[in-house]
Amino acid sequence: AQSVTQLGSHVSVSEGALVLLRCNYSSSVPPYLFWYVQYPNQGLQLLLKYTSAATLVKGINGFEAEFKKSETSFHLTKPSAHMSDAAEYFCAVRRGGGSQGNLIFGKGTKLSVKP
Amino acid sequence: GAGVSQSPSNKVTEKGKDVELRCDPISGHTALYWYRQSLGQGLEFLIYFQGNSAPDKSGLPSDRFSAERTGGSVSTLTIQRTQQEDSAVYLCASSLDGGADTQYFGPGTRLTVL
């Protein structure tokens, strides 16, 4: 069975500071990993995904994530936080096997950006 | 192009009533997923459709929950005899062909059971 653990339910950074949101996964098959962002009262928007190609994945809005198999991690980073980055971020792993593909989500990390 | 749409955006109902939630996926997407987002449980998978068939209903929490999809497009999630623990945001997502294809999410329906 697959699972995802996000370390830290709340992260606060200052505007212009590095953003680092942590995600560790557990998977018995090569994982497909995703980061989604959710703004208040909205659905989920895909930031980026890893599907076994390049281990460093670049996404929208300046975010990127690096797949590290040895550490079973897929942390999300952004060099310089912007006020508009304040939102909740979810890491997810695709359920393996077959063509089904539903996502298994972490609990989420709420990012606050201080001026 | 148009994204995934869901209706209603908000639904308030009394305990014991039935509710129907609707999802219109992106045109041409054969795979459709329902998820539930609640404070206590986070984001949970409910059911997956490929075309009109539902090969995976493993996430439905009880037999009060059912879903159908018609014409390979619109899907309806029905909750019978609603309970307070059913209060949550119900999210629908669609993807081109299942698997590792990107899932595009709708804005959700916020269900409140009084």
Side-chain angles (χ1 to χ4, degrees), chain A residues 64-91:
Chain A
E64 63 182 37
E66 186 172 8
F67 173 73
K68 291 187 177 180
K69 183 177 179 181
S70 61
E71 298 178 8
T72 61
S73 68
F74 190 57
H75 302 329
L76 182 71
T77 60
K78 181 174 180 178
S80 176
H82 192 272
M83 296 297 290
S84 61
D85 295 328
E88 191 157 19
Y89 293 78
F90 293 91
C91 182

PDB file of all heavy atoms in Angstrom, chain A residues 64-91:
ATOM      1  N   GLU A  64       9.509  23.944  -7.645  1.00  0.00           N
ATOM      2  CA  GLU A  64      10.132  22.744  -8.154  1.00  0.00           C
ATOM      3  C   GLU A  64      10.230  21.706  -7.045  1.00  0.00           C
ATOM      4  O   GLU A  64      10.089  22.028  -5.859  1.00  0.00           O
ATOM      5  CB  GLU A  64      11.517  23.020  -8.757  1.00  0.00           C
ATOM      6  CG  GLU A  64      12.541  23.544  -7.801  1.00  0.00           C
ATOM      7  CD  GLU A  64      13.860  23.816  -8.517  1.00  0.00           C
ATOM      8  OE1 GLU A  64      13.850  24.276  -9.676  1.00  0.00           O
ATOM      9  OE2 GLU A  64      14.911  23.547  -7.894  1.00  0.00           O
ATOM     10  N   ALA A  65      10.429  20.458  -7.430  1.00  0.00           N
ATOM     11  CA  ALA A  65      10.549  19.378  -6.451  1.00  0.00           C
ATOM     12  C   ALA A  65      11.566  18.375  -6.963  1.00  0.00           C
ATOM     13  O   ALA A  65      11.700  18.172  -8.175  1.00  0.00           O
ATOM     14  CB  ALA A  65       9.199  18.691  -6.221  1.00  0.00           C
ATOM     15  N   GLU A  66      12.264  17.763  -6.040  1.00  0.00           N
ATOM     16  CA  GLU A  66      13.279  16.783  -6.412  1.00  0.00           C
ATOM     17  C   GLU A  66      12.912  15.422  -5.845  1.00  0.00           C
ATOM     18  O   GLU A  66      12.661  15.269  -4.643  1.00  0.00           O
ATOM     19  CB  GLU A  66      14.663  17.187  -5.897  1.00  0.00           C
ATOM     20  CG  GLU A  66      15.759  16.256  -6.392  1.00  0.00           C
ATOM     21  CD  GLU A  66      17.149  16.753  -6.065  1.00  0.00           C
ATOM     22  OE1 GLU A  66      17.279  17.744  -5.321  1.00  0.00           O
ATOM     23  OE2 GLU A  66      18.115  16.142  -6.556  1.00  0.00           O
ATOM     24  N   PHE A  67      12.853  14.435  -6.716  1.00  0.00           N
ATOM     25  CA  PHE A  67      12.578  13.062  -6.313  1.00  0.00           C
ATOM     26  C   PHE A  67      13.884  12.427  -5.842  1.00  0.00           C
ATOM     27  O   PHE A  67      14.860  12.381  -6.601  1.00  0.00           O
ATOM     28  CB  PHE A  67      11.999  12.262  -7.480  1.00  0.00           C
ATOM     29  CG  PHE A  67      11.847  10.788  -7.206  1.00  0.00           C
ATOM     30  CD1 PHE A  67      10.855  10.336  -6.368  1.00  0.00           C
ATOM     31  CD2 PHE A  67      12.697   9.864  -7.799  1.00  0.00           C
ATOM     32  CE1 PHE A  67      10.701   8.976  -6.113  1.00  0.00           C
ATOM     33  CE2 PHE A  67      12.554   8.499  -7.549  1.00  0.00           C
ATOM     34  CZ  PHE A  67      11.553   8.063  -6.708  1.00  0.00           C
ATOM     35  N   LYS A  68      13.901  11.962  -4.585  1.00  0.00           N
ATOM     36  CA  LYS A  68      15.083  11.292  -4.035  1.00  0.00           C
ATOM     37  C   LYS A  68      14.665   9.915  -3.547  1.00  0.00           C
ATOM     38  O   LYS A  68      14.092   9.776  -2.455  1.00  0.00           O
ATOM     39  CB  LYS A  68      15.691  12.116  -2.893  1.00  0.00           C
ATOM     40  CG  LYS A  68      16.322  13.413  -3.346  1.00  0.00           C
ATOM     41  CD  LYS A  68      17.062  14.101  -2.205  1.00  0.00           C
ATOM     42  CE  LYS A  68      17.750  15.366  -2.688  1.00  0.00           C
ATOM     43  NZ  LYS A  68      18.488  16.052  -1.600  1.00  0.00           N
ATOM     44  N   LYS A  69      15.004   8.923  -4.353  1.00  0.00           N
ATOM     45  CA  LYS A  69      14.584   7.553  -4.028  1.00  0.00           C
ATOM     46  C   LYS A  69      15.222   7.074  -2.731  1.00  0.00           C
ATOM     47  O   LYS A  69      14.570   6.422  -1.908  1.00  0.00           O
ATOM     48  CB  LYS A  69      14.961   6.620  -5.180  1.00  0.00           C
ATOM     49  CG  LYS A  69      14.505   5.188  -4.991  1.00  0.00           C
ATOM     50  CD  LYS A  69      14.856   4.339  -6.201  1.00  0.00           C
ATOM     51  CE  LYS A  69      14.410   2.889  -5.993  1.00  0.00           C
ATOM     52  NZ  LYS A  69      14.780   2.050  -7.161  1.00  0.00           N
ATOM     53  N   SER A  70      16.500   7.420  -2.532  1.00  0.00           N
ATOM     54  CA  SER A  70      17.211   6.932  -1.343  1.00  0.00           C
ATOM     55  C   SER A  70      16.598   7.467  -0.056  1.00  0.00           C
ATOM     56  O   SER A  70      16.691   6.834   0.990  1.00  0.00           O
ATOM     57  CB  SER A  70      18.681   7.318  -1.421  1.00  0.00           C
ATOM     58  OG  SER A  70      18.823   8.722  -1.470  1.00  0.00           O
ATOM     59  N   GLU A  71      15.975   8.643  -0.160  1.00  0.00           N
ATOM     60  CA  GLU A  71      15.361   9.264   1.015  1.00  0.00           C
ATOM     61  C   GLU A  71      13.835   9.135   0.993  1.00  0.00           C
ATOM     62  O   GLU A  71      13.173   9.622   1.914  1.00  0.00           O
ATOM     63  CB  GLU A  71      15.745  10.747   1.076  1.00  0.00           C
ATOM     64  CG  GLU A  71      17.243  10.966   1.208  1.00  0.00           C
ATOM     65  CD  GLU A  71      17.614  12.448   1.209  1.00  0.00           C
ATOM     66  OE1 GLU A  71      16.703  13.308   1.251  1.00  0.00           O
ATOM     67  OE2 GLU A  71      18.823  12.748   1.152  1.00  0.00           O
ATOM     68  N   THR A  72      13.306   8.505  -0.008  1.00  0.00           N
ATOM     69  CA  THR A  72      11.853   8.410  -0.254  1.00  0.00           C
ATOM     70  C   THR A  72      11.192   9.765  -0.029  1.00  0.00           C
ATOM     71  O   THR A  72      10.182   9.892   0.675  1.00  0.00           O
ATOM     72  CB  THR A  72      11.173   7.319   0.611  1.00  0.00           C
ATOM     73  OG1 THR A  72      11.341   7.637   2.004  1.00  0.00           O
ATOM     74  CG2 THR A  72      11.743   5.957   0.321  1.00  0.00           C
ATOM     75  N   SER A  73      11.774  10.783  -0.653  1.00  0.00           N
ATOM     76  CA  SER A  73      11.260  12.136  -0.448  1.00  0.00           C
ATOM     77  C   SER A  73      10.938  12.810  -1.774  1.00  0.00           C
ATOM     78  O   SER A  73      11.466  12.448  -2.831  1.00  0.00           O
ATOM     79  CB  SER A  73      12.270  12.982   0.323  1.00  0.00           C
ATOM     80  OG  SER A  73      13.421  13.237  -0.466  1.00  0.00           O
ATOM     81  N   PHE A  74      10.085  13.793  -1.682  1.00  0.00           N
ATOM     82  CA  PHE A  74       9.689  14.599  -2.846  1.00  0.00           C
ATOM     83  C   PHE A  74       9.326  15.980  -2.313  1.00  0.00           C
ATOM     84  O   PHE A  74       8.184  16.417  -2.364  1.00  0.00           O
ATOM     85  CB  PHE A  74       8.511  13.931  -3.561  1.00  0.00           C
ATOM     86  CG  PHE A  74       8.166  14.532  -4.907  1.00  0.00           C
ATOM     87  CD1 PHE A  74       9.101  14.611  -5.928  1.00  0.00           C
ATOM     88  CD2 PHE A  74       6.881  14.998  -5.165  1.00  0.00           C
ATOM     89  CE1 PHE A  74       8.782  15.152  -7.160  1.00  0.00           C
ATOM     90  CE2 PHE A  74       6.542  15.541  -6.397  1.00  0.00           C
ATOM     91  CZ  PHE A  74       7.501  15.614  -7.398  1.00  0.00           C
ATOM     92  N   HIS A  75      10.316  16.691  -1.786  1.00  0.00           N
ATOM     93  CA  HIS A  75      10.085  17.989  -1.159  1.00  0.00           C
ATOM     94  C   HIS A  75       9.851  19.075  -2.198  1.00  0.00           C
ATOM     95  O   HIS A  75      10.487  19.092  -3.253  1.00  0.00           O
ATOM     96  CB  HIS A  75      11.271  18.370  -0.276  1.00  0.00           C
ATOM     97  CG  HIS A  75      11.576  17.378   0.806  1.00  0.00           C
ATOM     98  ND1 HIS A  75      10.611  16.596   1.406  1.00  0.00           N
ATOM     99  CD2 HIS A  75      12.766  17.045   1.391  1.00  0.00           C
ATOM    100  CE1 HIS A  75      11.162  15.821   2.316  1.00  0.00           C
ATOM    101  NE2 HIS A  75      12.475  16.064   2.326  1.00  0.00           N
ATOM    102  N   LEU A  76       8.988  20.002  -1.860  1.00  0.00           N
ATOM    103  CA  LEU A  76       8.643  21.123  -2.744  1.00  0.00           C
ATOM    104  C   LEU A  76       9.406  22.370  -2.308  1.00  0.00           C
ATOM    105  O   LEU A  76       9.436  22.680  -1.109  1.00  0.00           O
ATOM    106  CB  LEU A  76       7.134  21.382  -2.672  1.00  0.00           C
ATOM    107  CG  LEU A  76       6.573  22.483  -3.564  1.00  0.00           C
ATOM    108  CD1 LEU A  76       6.607  22.054  -5.031  1.00  0.00           C
ATOM    109  CD2 LEU A  76       5.145  22.832  -3.151  1.00  0.00           C
ATOM    110  N   THR A  77      10.015  23.064  -3.247  1.00  0.00           N
ATOM    111  CA  THR A  77      10.759  24.264  -2.911  1.00  0.00           C
ATOM    112  C   THR A  77      10.432  25.404  -3.867  1.00  0.00           C
ATOM    113  O   THR A  77       9.985  25.185  -5.006  1.00  0.00           O
ATOM    114  CB  THR A  77      12.278  24.022  -2.946  1.00  0.00           C
ATOM    115  OG1 THR A  77      12.657  23.609  -4.271  1.00  0.00           O
ATOM    116  CG2 THR A  77      12.697  22.963  -1.950  1.00  0.00           C
ATOM    117  N   LYS A  78      10.669  26.616  -3.357  1.00  0.00           N
ATOM    118  CA  LYS A  78      10.600  27.826  -4.173  1.00  0.00           C
ATOM    119  C   LYS A  78      11.613  28.785  -3.587  1.00  0.00           C
ATOM    120  O   LYS A  78      11.622  28.995  -2.368  1.00  0.00           O
ATOM    121  CB  LYS A  78       9.203  28.426  -4.158  1.00  0.00           C
ATOM    122  CG  LYS A  78       9.085  29.677  -5.017  1.00  0.00           C
ATOM    123  CD  LYS A  78       7.646  30.172  -5.112  1.00  0.00           C
ATOM    124  CE  LYS A  78       7.566  31.420  -5.990  1.00  0.00           C
ATOM    125  NZ  LYS A  78       6.172  31.913  -6.154  1.00  0.00           N
ATOM    126  N   PRO A  79      12.497  29.354  -4.404  1.00  0.00           N
ATOM    127  CA  PRO A  79      13.588  30.161  -3.861  1.00  0.00           C
ATOM    128  C   PRO A  79      13.128  31.404  -3.110  1.00  0.00           C
ATOM    129  O   PRO A  79      13.735  31.791  -2.116  1.00  0.00           O
ATOM    130  CB  PRO A  79      14.389  30.557  -5.109  1.00  0.00           C
ATOM    131  CG  PRO A  79      13.993  29.589  -6.164  1.00  0.00           C
ATOM    132  CD  PRO A  79      12.593  29.189  -5.861  1.00  0.00           C
ATOM    133  N   SER A  80      12.036  32.008  -3.562  1.00  0.00           N
ATOM    134  CA  SER A  80      11.632  33.280  -2.985  1.00  0.00           C
ATOM    135  C   SER A  80      10.114  33.337  -2.868  1.00  0.00           C
ATOM    136  O   SER A  80       9.411  33.362  -3.887  1.00  0.00           O
ATOM    137  CB  SER A  80      12.145  34.436  -3.862  1.00  0.00           C
ATOM    138  OG  SER A  80      11.697  35.679  -3.382  1.00  0.00           O
ATOM    139  N   ALA A  81       9.619  33.350  -1.635  1.00  0.00           N
ATOM    140  CA  ALA A  81       8.174  33.322  -1.420  1.00  0.00           C
ATOM    141  C   ALA A  81       7.531  34.646  -1.791  1.00  0.00           C
ATOM    142  O   ALA A  81       8.097  35.727  -1.569  1.00  0.00           O
ATOM    143  CB  ALA A  81       7.872  32.996   0.038  1.00  0.00           C
ATOM    144  N   HIS A  82       6.322  34.527  -2.307  1.00  0.00           N
ATOM    145  CA  HIS A  82       5.507  35.693  -2.631  1.00  0.00           C
ATOM    146  C   HIS A  82       4.224  35.594  -1.833  1.00  0.00           C
ATOM    147  O   HIS A  82       3.762  34.503  -1.502  1.00  0.00           O
ATOM    148  CB  HIS A  82       5.214  35.702  -4.146  1.00  0.00           C
ATOM    149  CG  HIS A  82       4.636  36.989  -4.625  1.00  0.00           C
ATOM    150  ND1 HIS A  82       3.280  37.250  -4.626  1.00  0.00           N
ATOM    151  CD2 HIS A  82       5.230  38.094  -5.133  1.00  0.00           C
ATOM    152  CE1 HIS A  82       3.066  38.456  -5.101  1.00  0.00           C
ATOM    153  NE2 HIS A  82       4.226  38.990  -5.419  1.00  0.00           N
ATOM    154  N   MET A  83       3.652  36.750  -1.541  1.00  0.00           N
ATOM    155  CA  MET A  83       2.405  36.765  -0.747  1.00  0.00           C
ATOM    156  C   MET A  83       1.338  35.873  -1.382  1.00  0.00           C
ATOM    157  O   MET A  83       0.556  35.230  -0.675  1.00  0.00           O
ATOM    158  CB  MET A  83       1.870  38.189  -0.617  1.00  0.00           C
ATOM    159  CG  MET A  83       2.781  39.139   0.146  1.00  0.00           C
ATOM    160  SD  MET A  83       3.005  38.649   1.857  1.00  0.00           S
ATOM    161  CE  MET A  83       1.387  38.977   2.514  1.00  0.00           C
ATOM    162  N   SER A  84       1.321  35.831  -2.691  1.00  0.00           N
ATOM    163  CA  SER A  84       0.301  35.048  -3.393  1.00  0.00           C
ATOM    164  C   SER A  84       0.502  33.539  -3.249  1.00  0.00           C
ATOM    165  O   SER A  84      -0.358  32.760  -3.670  1.00  0.00           O
ATOM    166  CB  SER A  84       0.274  35.417  -4.876  1.00  0.00           C
ATOM    167  OG  SER A  84       1.522  35.123  -5.469  1.00  0.00           O
ATOM    168  N   ASP A  85       1.627  33.114  -2.664  1.00  0.00           N
ATOM    169  CA  ASP A  85       1.863  31.681  -2.455  1.00  0.00           C
ATOM    170  C   ASP A  85       1.124  31.145  -1.231  1.00  0.00           C
ATOM    171  O   ASP A  85       1.087  29.928  -1.009  1.00  0.00           O
ATOM    172  CB  ASP A  85       3.357  31.404  -2.293  1.00  0.00           C
ATOM    173  CG  ASP A  85       4.153  31.699  -3.546  1.00  0.00           C
ATOM    174  OD1 ASP A  85       3.607  31.520  -4.654  1.00  0.00           O
ATOM    175  OD2 ASP A  85       5.321  32.139  -3.419  1.00  0.00           O
ATOM    176  N   ALA A  86       0.559  32.025  -0.432  1.00  0.00           N
ATOM    177  CA  ALA A  86      -0.171  31.584   0.760  1.00  0.00           C
ATOM    178  C   ALA A  86      -1.358  30.721   0.339  1.00  0.00           C
ATOM    179  O   ALA A  86      -2.256  31.178  -0.380  1.00  0.00           O
ATOM    180  CB  ALA A  86      -0.644  32.786   1.558  1.00  0.00           C
ATOM    181  N   ALA A  87      -1.334  29.471   0.773  1.00  0.00           N
ATOM    182  CA  ALA A  87      -2.348  28.495   0.349  1.00  0.00           C
ATOM    183  C   ALA A  87      -2.057  27.193   1.091  1.00  0.00           C
ATOM    184  O   ALA A  87      -1.128  27.113   1.900  1.00  0.00           O
ATOM    185  CB  ALA A  87      -2.278  28.254  -1.158  1.00  0.00           C
ATOM    186  N   GLU A  88      -2.834  26.169   0.793  1.00  0.00           N
ATOM    187  CA  GLU A  88      -2.553  24.851   1.342  1.00  0.00           C
ATOM    188  C   GLU A  88      -2.001  23.969   0.232  1.00  0.00           C
ATOM    189  O   GLU A  88      -2.501  23.990  -0.901  1.00  0.00           O
ATOM    190  CB  GLU A  88      -3.809  24.222   1.947  1.00  0.00           C
ATOM    191  CG  GLU A  88      -3.519  22.969   2.759  1.00  0.00           C
ATOM    192  CD  GLU A  88      -4.584  22.640   3.785  1.00  0.00           C
ATOM    193  OE1 GLU A  88      -5.707  23.143   3.658  1.00  0.00           O
ATOM    194  OE2 GLU A  88      -4.276  21.856   4.714  1.00  0.00           O
ATOM    195  N   TYR A  89      -0.976  23.199   0.562  1.00  0.00           N
ATOM    196  CA  TYR A  89      -0.267  22.390  -0.413  1.00  0.00           C
ATOM    197  C   TYR A  89      -0.395  20.908  -0.044  1.00  0.00           C
ATOM    198  O   TYR A  89      -0.213  20.524   1.120  1.00  0.00           O
ATOM    199  CB  TYR A  89       1.209  22.792  -0.469  1.00  0.00           C
ATOM    200  CG  TYR A  89       1.398  24.183  -1.031  1.00  0.00           C
ATOM    201  CD1 TYR A  89       1.168  25.313  -0.242  1.00  0.00           C
ATOM    202  CD2 TYR A  89       1.759  24.382  -2.361  1.00  0.00           C
ATOM    203  CE1 TYR A  89       1.298  26.593  -0.756  1.00  0.00           C
ATOM    204  CE2 TYR A  89       1.905  25.658  -2.886  1.00  0.00           C
ATOM    205  CZ  TYR A  89       1.665  26.751  -2.079  1.00  0.00           C
ATOM    206  OH  TYR A  89       1.796  28.015  -2.601  1.00  0.00           O
ATOM    207  N   PHE A  90      -0.699  20.120  -1.058  1.00  0.00           N
ATOM    208  CA  PHE A  90      -0.899  18.695  -0.847  1.00  0.00           C
ATOM    209  C   PHE A  90       0.060  17.889  -1.717  1.00  0.00           C
ATOM    210  O   PHE A  90       0.151  18.117  -2.926  1.00  0.00           O
ATOM    211  CB  PHE A  90      -2.334  18.291  -1.201  1.00  0.00           C
ATOM    212  CG  PHE A  90      -3.378  18.851  -0.280  1.00  0.00           C
ATOM    213  CD1 PHE A  90      -3.986  20.064  -0.555  1.00  0.00           C
ATOM    214  CD2 PHE A  90      -3.746  18.165   0.869  1.00  0.00           C
ATOM    215  CE1 PHE A  90      -4.945  20.595   0.297  1.00  0.00           C
ATOM    216  CE2 PHE A  90      -4.703  18.676   1.723  1.00  0.00           C
ATOM    217  CZ  PHE A  90      -5.297  19.895   1.434  1.00  0.00           C
ATOM    218  N   CYS A  91       0.723  16.955  -1.089  1.00  0.00           N
ATOM    219  CA  CYS A  91       1.538  15.985  -1.796  1.00  0.00           C
ATOM    220  C   CYS A  91       0.689  14.731  -1.989  1.00  0.00           C
ATOM    221  O   CYS A  91      -0.131  14.385  -1.124  1.00  0.00           O
ATOM    222  CB  CYS A  91       2.779  15.658  -0.964  1.00  0.00           C
ATOM    223  SG  CYS A  91       3.933  14.521  -1.728  1.00  0.00           S
TER     224      CYS A  91
END
